[in-house]
Amino acid sequence: MRFFSHRLGEGSPRVGAYRDGVPVDLGPGELSDLLRTEDLAAAARRIASAPHLDESTITLLPVIARPSKILCVGLNYVDHRAEAAISKPAEYPDFFVRFSTTLVACDQPIRLPSVSGALDYEGELAVVIGRGGRYISRSDAHAHIAGYSVFNDATLRDYQFRSSQWTWGKNFDDTGAFGPVLVTPDELPRPVEQGLKIETRLNGEMMQSASTADLIFNVATLISQISEAVTLEPGDVLLTGTPGGVGMARQPQRYMRAGDLVEVEIEGIGTLRNRVEPEARP
C-alpha cells in the first residue's frame, strides 16, 4: 500500500492512498492517527471503497506531519565517513534528533535561512514506525515498521559545527523535506537490506548515488538500539543516514542556493522534489 498526507484547498489534514495507481481519499485526520488506531488490513479494506481524488485539488503534506519523535543517524555509510575524514570504524550509531517544525512536504519549498549560505542536501531513507515498543529485538524489528519514505535532511553546515552537537544545524524551520508517500514493505521490489538505489540530484546533476545495502547499521539494528533508550510509538520517524557526495565534502563546496531544484529518489518508493527559496524574515 501507498499512503500520503494531504489537504483539499485550505482544509484540515486528510489521509490519502493509491488504488491501482489512482489517488483516493480516506478522510480527515493524520496518517499517524491511522497507524495508532487501525491495522493495515483494515486500512486496505477502506482503500478498496474510498472515493477517487482529483490530483489537481491535492496539496501534499509531510508524510507524518507531527511525529512525536524524529530520530536521526549520522555517518551511517562508509563513503560518507570517508569524505568526512573519519577513519575509525563505526562502533555505535551517531544518534541525534530533528523537530517537527522543520518538516516540509514534497513540492513545498525548502527555506534557505537568511543567516547562512551553507545549506547542504542529504538524501535519506526514512522509516516510519507502525507498532511501538521498548527493548525491541533485531529479529522482531521489522514487525514494528509501517513503511518507508524519502527524506532530505537539509543541514546548515556552519551552524552544525558551531558546537560539538549537530542538533542546531539540523533544525532550522522548513529544511526537512519528507515525502511524497509512505510505502509498506510488501510494495518494495526487495527488502531494504538487499539494497534499494538512493540518489540525490541538484538541478538535474547527480550528487549522491548509493544503495541502502551499504548502511553500516541496518534498519533492524537501529530500531533495536533506539528502543533500548526510548519507547517507540506509532508515527515515529527514523532517518537512517546519508551516503557520500554531500556538498560540504566537494571541491569546491556545493551548497543549495535559492532557485535550485533538489530531488531525492529511492527505488520502489518515489521521488521527493523541492525548490529552494529564500526565507522571508519578518
Side-chain angles (χ1 to χ4, degrees):
M1 291 175 282
R2 305 175 76 87
F3 296 95
F4 58 92
S5 296
H6 71 109
R7 66 171 181 262
L8 301 176
E10 297 300 318
S12 58
R14 304 178 71 86
V15 178
Y18 284 92
R19 182 176 67 227
D20 299 325
V22 176
V24 298
D25 185 38
L26 299 181
E30 298 193 6
L31 188 50
S32 55
D33 298 329
L34 183 150
L35 296 176
R36 281 191 292 267
T37 59
E38 294 187 42
D39 61 35
L40 293 182
R45 290 191 291 272
R46 287 213 288 141
I47 290 171
S49 59
H52 287 178
L53 281 168
D54 178 351
E55 288 197 79
S56 67
T57 67
I58 298 172
T59 298
L60 289 175
L61 300 173
V63 169
I64 305 292
R66 293 178 293 178
S68 65
K69 293 184 284 295
I70 305 173
L71 303 153
C72 313
V73 185
L75 300 169
N76 199 24
Y77 285 82
V78 171
D79 59 350
H80 185 40
R81 292 181 70 85
E83 70 182 3
I86 298 173
S87 58
K88 181 181 178 182
E91 297 178 356
Y92 193 81
D94 288 299
F95 291 120
F96 58 97
V97 297
R98 256 192 183 268
F99 308 137
S100 60
T101 52
T102 69
L103 298 181
V104 296
C106 182
D107 298 323
Q108 290 182 341
I110 291 173
R111 298 293 180 187
L112 175 62
S114 60
V115 295
S116 175
L119 180 64
D120 208 347
Y121 52 83
E122 289 194 6
E124 305 199 12
L125 173 73
V127 181
V128 176
I129 298 299
R131 177 160 64 90
R134 180 92 192 275
Y135 292 111
I136 299 168
S137 68
R138 287 174 175 80
S139 61
D140 193 41
H142 283 277
H144 292 258
I145 296 172
Y148 300 93
S149 191
V150 186
F151 203 92
N152 186 349
D153 185 31
T155 303
L156 280 297
R157 296 299 188 192
D158 46 357
Y159 278 80
Q160 179 184 4
F161 296 112
R162 285 186 179 184
S163 76
S164 61
Q165 304 299 313
W166 298 345
T167 301
W168 220 232
K170 299 281 187 175
N171 278 286
F172 275 66
D173 285 353
D174 302 326
T175 58
F178 187 17
V181 293
L182 173 73
V183 178
T184 54
D186 60 293
E187 288 270 334
L188 297 178
R190 68 192 70 85
V192 295
E193 290 81 7
Q194 293 180 16
L196 302 175
K197 182 184 293 185
I198 176 170
E199 297 180 342
T200 302
R201 298 181 292 272
L202 187 60
N203 299 324
E205 181 181 351
M206 187 76 70
M207 310 303 285
Q208 296 179 290
S209 182
S211 167
T212 59
D214 299 331
L215 288 166
I216 297 170
F217 300 100
N218 65 23
V219 171
T221 298
L222 294 172
I223 289 173
S224 181
Q225 292 183 337
I226 288 169
S227 71
E228 291 175 355
V230 298
T231 299
L232 288 170
E233 301 169 294
D236 284 349
V237 178
L238 167 61
L239 307 181
T240 57
T242 199
V246 299
M248 178 182 66
R250 292 178 174 270
Q251 295 296 331
Q253 292 179 326
R254 184 78 177 275
Y255 292 128
M256 295 189 290
R257 304 299 186 200
D260 284 349
L261 174 65
V262 59
E263 300 170 289
V264 182
E265 181 175 3
I266 301 181
E267 180 185 4
I269 300 176
T271 302
L272 172 65
R273 296 181 181 88
N274 301 89
R275 285 283 178 188
V276 179
E277 295 185 2
E279 174 189 45
R281 289 189 65 170

